């Protein structure tokens, strides 16, 4: 199981965009959507088979890099992370301090929870089961296909959030080496990706000018 959370404030529009993108661009089944019970909105990805932690961390970091670049830990959270700290909190559950509930919710209702990402009452077991019944797990072949695209650190341009016409990303470059250098030196990028960028640079040193 993988989880990606946007919080403080919860951004239902961006979360919905990522939800659509993984289906359209990666041909993955729809992830489950949930409210955290505190201050975030979540995507839950079910895996048909276990995967190495480093692969899970790299994939989620790739989603973060291309959809919410520059968002720190106070705005976005993932599980697993590196290092792995504790277990993923179950859903549904009640937050003891507030009495609010974390729960799975329908995708079309997600924008309604941006200001209050929780339920005030306990969700019904039948309703939660119905929300999850139609979801499918990511098959090993689907996982491997995306991991191949992410190696060493690149994500297909089609996965990126759309930009207004005529607007380019700051520092955008078509030079792979310059891109890898930027990733390696960017402290906002997760360490796992910075290490992979450094490895790629070592494998492909710069050629002397001719």
């Amino acid at each position: 199981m993988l989880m990606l959370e946007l919080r403080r404030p919860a951004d239902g529009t961006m979360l919905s965009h990522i939800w659509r993108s993984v289906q359209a661009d990666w041909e993955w089944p729809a992830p489950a959507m949930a409210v955290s019970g505190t201050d975030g909105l979540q995507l839950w990805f079910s895996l048909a088979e276990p995967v190495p932690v480093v692969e899970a961390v790299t994939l989620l970091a790739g989603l973060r890099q291309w959809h919410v670049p520059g968002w720190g830990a106070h705005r976005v959270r993932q599980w697993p992370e590196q290092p792995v700290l504790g277990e993923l909190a179950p859903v549904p559950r009640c937050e003891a301090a507030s009495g609010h509930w974390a729960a799975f919710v329908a995708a079309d209702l997600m924008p309604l929870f941006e200001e209050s990402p929780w339920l005030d009452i306990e969700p019904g077991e039948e309703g939660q089961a119905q929300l999850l019944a139609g979801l499918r797990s990511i098959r090993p072949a689907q996982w491997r296909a995306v991991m191949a695209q992410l190696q060493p650190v690149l994500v297909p341009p089609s996965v990126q959030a759309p930009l207004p016409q005529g607007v380019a990303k700051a520092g955008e470059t078509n030079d792979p080496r310059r891109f890898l250098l930027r990733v390696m030196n960017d402290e906002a990028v997760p360490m796992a990706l910075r290490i992979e960028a450094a490895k790629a640079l070592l494998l492909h040193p710069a050629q002397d000018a001719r």
Side-chain angles (χ1 to χ4, degrees), residues 102-173:
F104 293 106
V105 297
D108 57 347
L109 298 181
M110 184 57 70
L112 302 179
F113 292 98
E114 287 188 327
E115 295 185 3
S116 53
W118 58 75
L119 298 186
D120 292 320
I121 60 175
E122 181 179 1
E125 292 184 5
E126 183 177 350
Q128 293 289 281
Q130 288 179 349
L131 285 171
L132 300 177
L135 299 179
R136 294 176 290 116
S137 297
I138 300 166
R139 300 190 306 273
Q142 293 174 312
W143 179 268
R144 289 193 298 268
V146 172
M147 288 306 302
Q149 294 176 9
L150 287 173
Q151 295 299 327
V153 292
L154 299 178
V155 178
S158 60
V159 180
Q160 301 178 32
L163 293 174
Q165 186 174 3
V167 177
K169 287 187 175 181
E172 185 175 27
T173 176

Side-chain angles (χ1 to χ4, degrees), residues 152-153 177 179-181 183-185 191-205:
V153 292
R177 183 173 178 81
F179 175 80
L180 291 171
L181 284 168
V183 171
M184 184 183 69
N185 294 318
M191 183 57 68
L193 285 181
R194 296 175 66 188
I195 292 173
E196 291 299 327
K199 290 179 181 178
L201 287 167
L202 289 174
L203 291 173
H204 302 283

Side-chain angles (χ1 to χ4, degrees), residues 3-174:
M3 188 278 294
L4 182 71
E5 177 180 290
L6 305 184
R7 57 182 181 167
R8 301 178 186 174
D11 192 330
T13 300
M14 177 56 72
L15 198 78
S16 295
H17 171 74
I18 299 174
W19 181 82
R20 291 189 298 269
S21 291
V22 296
Q23 297 175 73
D25 296 303
W26 290 354
E27 298 182 352
W28 276 10
M33 285 188 165
V35 291
S36 71
T38 53
D39 57 7
L41 302 175
Q42 303 173 340
L43 292 179
W44 288 60
F45 300 86
S46 173
L47 302 175
E49 295 182 4
V51 300
V53 171
V54 66
E55 289 190 10
V57 170
T58 299
L59 186 138
L60 290 172
L63 277 178
R64 293 172 59 173
Q65 178 184 351
W66 288 97
H67 287 287
V68 287
W71 288 26
H74 66 291
R75 290 295 318 278
V76 59
R77 187 170 69 91
Q78 69 179 59
W79 194 94
E81 55 188 344
Q82 195 70 282
V84 178
L85 302 175
E87 297 183 354
L88 183 59
V91 172
R93 71 178 185 283
C94 181
E95 292 292 331
S98 64
H100 296 152
W101 281 84
F104 293 106
V105 297
D108 57 347
L109 298 181
M110 184 57 70
L112 302 179
F113 292 98
E114 287 188 327
E115 295 185 3
S116 53
W118 58 75
L119 298 186
D120 292 320
I121 60 175
E122 181 179 1
E125 292 184 5
E126 183 177 350
Q128 293 289 281
Q130 288 179 349
L131 285 171
L132 300 177
L135 299 179
R136 294 176 290 116
S137 297
I138 300 166
R139 300 190 306 273
Q142 293 174 312
W143 179 268
R144 289 193 298 268
V146 172
M147 288 306 302
Q149 294 176 9
L150 287 173
Q151 295 299 327
V153 292
L154 299 178
V155 178
S158 60
V159 180
Q160 301 178 32
L163 293 174
Q165 186 174 3
V167 177
K169 287 187 175 181
E172 185 175 27
T173 176
N174 291 324

